[in-house]
Amino acid sequence: MITMSSEHNIEILESEPQQIGDDLIGRTAAISTRFWIVCLGLAVLLLLGIVGFVLRTSDGHAGHTQLGYYATVFAYLLTAAQGAPIVAIALRAIKAEWRRPLSRAAQLFAVVGLFNLILYIPLMMALPNTDGRYTIWVNWHPHSPHVYDTLSIIGLVVCGIALLYVSALPDMHAAVGKIPGTRNKILKFLSRGWTGSSAQWRLHRAIIGVLGGLYFMFFVFVHFTISSDFAMSLVPGWKDAIFPAWHALSGLQSGVALVMVTLFILRIAGYKKYISVNQFWSLSKIMLALTLLWAYFWFAGFLTFWYGRMPIELKLIRFLFVETYLWPFVLAVILTFAVPFLLLLWNGIRKSVWGPSLAGLSILIGTFFDRIRIYVASTSIKNPTGHDFSIPPAVFPQVADILIILGGLGGALLVYLIATKFIPILSVWE
């Protein structure tokens, strides 16, 4: 039964816990024809992405200059998908009770980290060493930056998967015997040892808190290393102490936006009685604050170049902002800042389902254009050593690049959808 609160105008679910559990686990167990068709389409996109990667590297020299759009997909998934679990971590830390319907949907994006770790391997192999170029690692040769970047992103992925596993353990145990076939055997193996005792619940909550803190620290550190080694250090003369922090902040903003869009899709997919306007309304306030911080941090970093006016700084402005990659920058500002700000400025729009969802979609699209501006531009520099560079022309996507983009995004979504058929997308125990 659903009732409406006149004070807060939010939906309150009044059902027996057993009924809720049976409903959510039943939805996880069921695999419709539509689900198989969607997965098949995403698998085709993934195969096309592999074909695009082969075409892009078919000459046998997979240098960093050939992988600009590939790096864009990797950085975008790092920003948005791997930023989504932070939403659940932060809201749990402040004991926001309204976050319960969205926590699992956000945590499930940790499985995309496994897919992104695979995408990272060719980028790591193509990244030049630090000889002759400025990096954050100074003289930590010969293993920088490859070993340190790899260890940090592995740590992020491991923490994310561990957090998802521990959080979903009670639900996996509850689903044993209710999900048919091989999935039941896998869940039985993964949930063995769980009895639901008071001691286990106390340990369960403590481990979630520790893993959440570790994930957040790894997330910030990985953004620091990736944005520095795969972007700034490839452009001679690019020195910006604010850029890594802004990059991580963009991940928080995109993570909230991705969770918002996911909630909107879940409402359409039949979870409307569990996801009310309250989740959109509350999350939109956080998204508005992060949007303002996005603009503030970007402007603070840009002022360094604008007021410095050194020749190399003027060249960077021309290259990244006002000439070569002007349109990706303009689209990023409009879609990542202007549109969500103007939408979420009004309480009536914030207090709706469609308004915050539209703002979240705008942020996701704008962030993708911004990652094109950063990573396609950075990897287009053929010689990253020295103190100066010649501005190369803008690199427009070719057929292979478009296939890589479709395959990367399609593969990430495919992994997420498969995970939802093992773990309920809404947390039963919460």
Side-chain angles (χ1 to χ4, degrees), residues 1 88 159:
M1 175 183 177
C159 280

Side-chain angles (χ1 to χ4, degrees), residues 5 27 30 131 133 218 245 254 298 309 314 318 340 392 430:
S5 168
R27 292 171 184 266
D131 293 335
R133 62 190 179 98
F218 268 109
S254 300
W298 171 82
R309 300 294 182 92
L314 292 176
R318 290 167 50 203
E430 288 196 90

Side-chain angles (χ1 to χ4, degrees), residues 239-254:
K239 302 173 185 178
D240 188 348
I242 298 177
F243 175 72
W246 171 82
H247 200 281
L249 178 66
S250 177
L252 299 179
Q253 182 201 31
S254 300

Side-chain angles (χ1 to χ4, degrees), residues 383-425:
N383 182 18
T385 61
H387 304 275
D388 201 353
F389 68 99
S390 298
I391 298 179
V395 178
F396 294 96
Q398 299 179 359
V399 174
D401 300 315
I402 295 175
L403 293 179
I404 288 173
I405 292 172
L406 294 176
L409 299 181
L413 184 55
L414 176 63
V415 171
Y416 186 87
L417 288 180
I418 292 174
T420 63
K421 291 305 174 182
F422 288 87
I423 302 173
I425 198 169

Side-chain angles (χ1 to χ4, degrees), residues 100-363:
R100 294 182 184 274
L102 62 85
S103 290
R104 179 63 52 71
Q107 290 173 337
L108 271 171
F109 280 101
V111 299
V112 179
L114 285 172
F115 178 76
N116 211 26
L117 183 60
I118 297 173
L119 294 183
Y120 166 79
I121 296 174
L123 281 178
M124 180 268 295
M125 297 175 64
L127 183 68
N129 58 37
T130 56
D131 293 335
R133 62 190 179 98
Y134 293 108
T135 72
I136 58 175
W137 306 108
V138 193
N139 294 317
W140 288 15
H141 300 292
H143 304 296
S144 59
H146 302 80
V147 171
Y148 311 118
D149 287 0
T150 301
L151 290 176
S152 64
I153 195 170
I154 288 176
L156 176 67
V157 172
V158 170
C159 280
I161 295 299
L163 177 63
L164 174 63
Y165 170 72
V166 173
S167 177
L169 188 56
D171 290 354
M172 290 191 293
H173 177 76
V176 172
K178 300 178 181 178
I179 294 182
T182 306
R183 289 185 292 161
N184 186 70
K185 296 179 181 178
I186 294 175
L187 292 176
K188 186 176 182 180
F189 173 78
L190 292 176
S191 63
R192 61 180 182 175
W194 176 264
T195 60
S197 64
S198 298
Q200 282 187 333
W201 276 111
R202 287 194 297 270
L203 182 62
H204 176 262
R205 290 185 171 88
I207 293 176
I208 287 178
V210 172
L211 289 174
L214 288 174
Y215 187 88
F216 179 78
M217 289 189 292
F218 268 109
F219 180 78
V220 175
F221 185 69
V222 168
H223 274 268
F224 172 67
T225 58
I226 295 300
S227 63
S228 299
D229 290 328
F230 288 84
M232 269 203 304
S233 68
L234 295 179
V235 182
W238 188 359
K239 302 173 185 178
D240 188 348
I242 298 177
F243 175 72
W246 171 82
H247 200 281
L249 178 66
S250 177
L252 299 179
Q253 182 201 31
S254 300
V256 173
L258 182 58
V259 173
M260 190 81 77
V261 173
T262 303
L263 290 178
F264 182 81
I265 295 174
L266 287 177
R267 277 178 62 95
I268 296 176
Y271 290 90
K272 184 177 181 179
K273 65 180 180 180
Y274 299 106
I275 303 171
S276 70
V277 176
N278 189 34
Q279 280 70 48
F280 294 88
W281 185 19
S282 302
L283 203 57
S284 67
K285 301 172 187 176
I286 301 174
M287 191 161 65
L288 176 59
L290 291 172
T291 297
L292 293 172
L293 284 174
W294 183 95
Y296 173 78
F297 271 71
W298 171 82
F299 188 66
F302 181 78
L303 280 181
T304 303
F305 302 131
W306 183 256
Y307 278 105
R309 300 294 182 92
M310 296 177 63
I312 186 63
E313 292 174 330
L314 292 176
K315 185 176 290 188
L316 285 169
I317 291 176
R318 290 167 50 203
F319 183 46
L320 297 173
F321 300 105
V322 301
E323 287 186 9
T324 311
Y325 288 92
L326 169 65
W327 284 111
F329 169 67
V330 170
L331 290 173
V333 172
I334 292 175
L335 296 174
T336 308
F337 170 69
V339 171
F341 174 73
L342 293 175
L343 282 175
L344 300 177
L345 189 63
W346 306 99
N347 190 53
I349 295 179
R350 287 202 310 271
K351 197 175 179 180
S352 66
V353 171
W354 67 269
S357 301
L358 182 60
L361 180 62
S362 177
I363 289 172

